Amino acid sequence: MESYELVILGGGLAGMCAAVEAGELGASVLLLEKQDELGGSTVLSSGYMAFAGTEMQEKAGIEDSKESLMYDLIEVGGKVNKKELIKTYGQHQLETYKWLIGHGVEFRTLQAVSGHSVPRGHTIDPHQGIQSLYRRVKELPNVTIRFNAPAKRLVKNNEGRIDRVLYESEGESQTVTATKGVLIASGGFAKSEELLKLFAPQLDAALRIGGEGNQGDGIQMAWEHGAWMLDLPYLSGTYGFHPSANSAVKSQGLAFYKGGIIVNQLGKRFIKESLSYKLLGNAALMQPEGISYQIWDQTVMEKAVADDPLYDFELLKRRRLLYQVDTIEELADCIDVPIGVLGETIRSYNSGIQSGAETEFGRNSLTHNYGKPTPIEKAPFYAFESTVAMLATYAGVAVNPEGQVLNSYEEPIPGLYAAGEVTGGFHGAGYVTGSSLGKCAIYGRLAVQDALKKESEIL
Ligand SMILES: Cc1cc2nc3c(=O)[nH]c(=O)nc-3n(C[C@H](O)[C@H](O)[C@H](O)COP(=O)(O)OP(=O)(O)OC[C@H]3O[C@@H](n4cnc5c(N)ncnc54)[C@H](O)[C@@H]3O)c2cc1C
């Protein structure tokens, strides 16, 4: 029977960071990837990573600290996330940012994104990130990646330790032994209708965007061995996608975080637009016919960021997904909302913003508590029909800060680790942009460090 020290299930960011770390620590590693290529949801992502105190922030004159980042994570998570997991993120985030750079991952721009008190969204091109980690893996003779090799079941030995993985390769069932640990890094279940129906029926109308292999296999394998689940009640979609978006063409724009507003088919606002786009998504799905529009003016349009996955409004225009007109009346006509109501919505919003007291929903910032909104008054005016997409399922198996999977009594399941989107307990009731890719890189590495350390301590 084949034998490795570590077996990693899944080649997204969590699995690849783990494979490089374990390989550099000298372990023999087998990474099983279900698909014929690496990347999962990681390569579909917008590539924002949440770090604090970086050189990029310093250059942009932004003062930040790990404490402020941890505070935002806990606050936006509704204080129901596991503090010990947030603390570990805080402790390891800056070192992880530097480790990624040291492994060829290029950070490009810095943006203000959802849930942060200061601009903290460090963008990568996720393809470039995965490819540079893959290049490093190819230099490590002790790391093997096997494609088209879905893991199917985990097996315990007589002492109750997970030490084997059953998987398929070239149509055959195979078994591999993992002497020091199995790391589940198989992502979430955004592509499993079965699990979404079971846990998030309220998101039935949401688009589905995510890695094709992300069907909750890892969760199911861990359940069989008693893994506990966290954060299921908080499963949410993400607001801001055009209804035509899909995994290949993800037309998305978050003009509301640059100063746009959101109205429903009645021409009325229904929420404070600076809130997390997950909360916006929940509210948007409850509007009449599930339809809503982002509305903005030329002042906001001029804040567009070319080539940015969230703020490139000119791209949406080139794709002919925006209505652009010279008056609010024409805009109301285009999107078929009552002209008088839309006019009054904008007048009342503008007067609140100008007086510094927008009382209807209490908006006083652009995103979270960062930035000042401006009135919607400078032609041309724009409207972008927007809906909700299920991208990432931030609910999953319970883990401790070492990445060990926990049972319902919060005890580690011997030999079993998990990292990345397959884990729960980190985001709690709300998601802070960039913290998912961040947690993949941080916990992928910590989990394998623990698996290798534990064994050497025993010896
Ligand atoms: C459109 C979009 C935009 C996003 N933007 C951001 C963002 O800007 N910032 C952020 O932080 N997060 C973002 N996210 C979320 C983030 O991308 C994911 O949460 C993260 O990439 C998950 O990484 P992962 O390594 O855990 O899983 P993945 O990257 O999904 O990788 C999991 C891998 O495991 C494989 N796999 C599955 N089952 C098995 C099995 N049985 N055996 C072997 N392999 C298996 C899959 O094929 C896949 O390759 C976004 C997600 C999407 C879809």
Side-chain angles (χ1 to χ4, degrees):
M1 193 192 300
E2 275 188 302
S3 179
Y4 292 83
E5 287 170 293
L6 281 167
V7 177
I8 298 171
L9 314 184
L13 187 63
M16 289 303 286
C17 288
V20 170
E21 179 74 11
E24 290 181 349
L25 288 171
S28 63
V29 180
L30 174 66
L31 186 149
L32 298 173
E33 169 52 53
K34 181 179 180 178
Q35 303 295 108
D36 58 6
E37 58 185 0
L38 297 170
S41 284
T42 300
V43 293
L44 300 180
S45 80
S46 305
Y48 284 100
M49 299 191 76
F51 297 118
T54 63
E55 248 177 33
M56 278 176 90
Q57 286 179 313
E58 213 175 289
K59 275 194 195 134
I62 294 156
E63 266 186 47
D64 200 8
S65 66
K66 64 174 192 286
E67 287 76 18
S68 165
L69 169 57
M70 290 189 284
Y71 181 85
D72 285 345
L73 286 165
I74 290 170
E75 197 196 9
V76 175
K79 301 194 175 118
V80 294
N81 37 8
K82 297 279 174 196
K83 288 210 179 52
E84 63 274 22
L85 297 181
I86 304 295
K87 213 168 148 194
T88 304
Y89 190 106
Q91 279 164 351
H92 293 273
Q93 53 94 28
L94 195 53
E95 173 241 326
T96 303
Y97 167 79
K98 291 177 183 165
W99 182 89
L100 289 166
I101 293 173
H103 286 79
V105 179
E106 292 166 13
F107 287 91
R108 297 175 176 201
T109 61
L110 181 64
Q111 296 291 333
V113 280
S114 173
H116 295 282
S117 299
V118 295
R120 216 179 253 145
H122 297 70
T123 56
I124 60 168
D125 168 350
H127 285 277
Q128 190 277 333
I130 290 290
Q131 283 312 313
S132 48
L133 295 171
Y134 188 33
R135 261 196 305 282
R136 179 64 186 132
V137 161
K138 286 196 221 160
E139 292 167 359
L140 295 165
N142 45 332
V143 182
T144 302
I145 296 186
R146 204 154 288 161
F147 292 95
N148 296 310
K152 294 291 181 184
R153 302 280 282 263
L154 306 175
V155 183
K156 277 182 178 149
N157 64 15
N158 292 338
E159 283 96 53
R161 181 184 170 86
I162 304 282
D163 74 343
R164 270 155 295 158
V165 178
L166 309 185
Y167 71 101
E168 273 177 17
S169 182
E170 297 176 355
E172 301 280 318
S173 298
Q174 310 279 349
T175 305
V176 58
T177 300
T179 58
K180 295 191 175 174
V182 173
L183 172 68
I184 304 177
S186 55
F189 53 92
K191 286 287 184 165
S192 165
E193 283 309 315
E194 195 189 346
L195 293 185
L196 287 175
K197 275 199 169 55
L198 191 60
F199 296 125
Q202 75 280 13
L203 294 169
D204 206 32
L207 306 173
R208 275 47 168 147
I209 299 178
E212 285 307 315
N214 292 32
Q215 290 163 338
D217 301 359
I219 289 176
Q220 202 177 350
M221 284 185 264
W223 271 342
E224 185 183 4
H225 296 282
W228 192 236
M229 288 288 288
L230 291 173
D231 292 348
L232 282 171
Y234 311 114
L235 278 166
S236 318
T238 296
Y239 185 71
F241 287 87
H242 191 267
S244 65
N246 55 43
S247 295
V249 184
K250 302 179 289 300
S251 296
Q252 188 184 18
L254 306 191
F256 46 89
Y257 287 152
K258 296 283 185 190
I261 59 167
I262 305 171
V263 300
N264 60 19
Q265 196 70 72
L266 307 174
K268 293 189 170 175
R269 288 173 69 218
F270 51 89
I271 193 160
K272 178 159 99 166
E273 293 86 349
S274 54
L275 289 175
S276 156
Y277 44 31
K278 300 279 179 188
L279 300 178
L280 303 182
N282 293 344
L285 283 178
M286 288 159 63
Q287 298 312 302
E289 296 171 57
I291 295 176
S292 59
Y293 297 90
Q294 297 181 48
I295 306 271
W296 67 92
D297 70 349
Q298 188 56 24
T299 304
V300 172
M301 194 65 179
E302 285 163 15
K303 296 186 196 165
V305 183
D307 298 328
D308 185 274
L310 305 183
Y311 299 128
D312 192 348
F313 313 139
E314 294 291 346
L315 174 68
L316 300 177
K317 193 161 130 183
R318 290 199 297 282
R319 288 186 180 164
R320 301 186 189 285
L321 299 175
L322 289 189
Y323 294 100
Q324 175 184 340
V325 288
D326 288 329
T327 64
I328 297 297
E329 288 71 22
E330 286 172 278
L331 202 64
D333 191 33
C334 289
I335 61 176
D336 197 19
V337 303
I339 294 177
V341 180
L342 184 65
E344 182 47 36
T345 296
I346 293 177
R347 259 191 305 282
S348 147
Y349 175 78
N350 285 351
S351 98
I353 292 300
Q354 277 156 337
S355 69
E358 193 286 290
T359 49
E360 195 178 2
F361 294 99
R363 184 175 196 182
N364 54 13
S365 64
L366 293 177
T367 174
H368 196 47
N369 43 30
Y370 176 79
K372 282 270 156 272
T374 47
I376 296 174
E377 58 186 9
K378 184 175 170 193
F381 300 98
Y382 301 87
F384 177 57
E385 185 175 351
S386 301
T387 189
V388 179
M390 193 65 213
L391 303 180
T393 48
Y394 301 127
V397 299
V399 286
N400 61 18
E402 288 78 36
Q404 295 172 301
V405 178
L406 304 177
N407 68 17
S408 55
Y409 298 101
E410 298 197 23
E411 296 158 349
I413 298 172
L416 190 57
Y417 291 82
E421 198 181 311
V422 71
T423 63
F426 180 84
H427 303 288
Y431 167 69
V432 168
T433 299
S435 58
S436 187
L437 291 174
K439 88 177 178 185
C440 287
I442 292 171
Y443 283 99
R445 293 178 59 222
L446 289 178
V448 298
Q449 285 168 11
D450 192 76
L452 297 173
K453 181 186 85 195
K454 282 267 149 55
E455 203 57 32
S456 60
E457 275 172 4
I458 291 165
L459 295 173

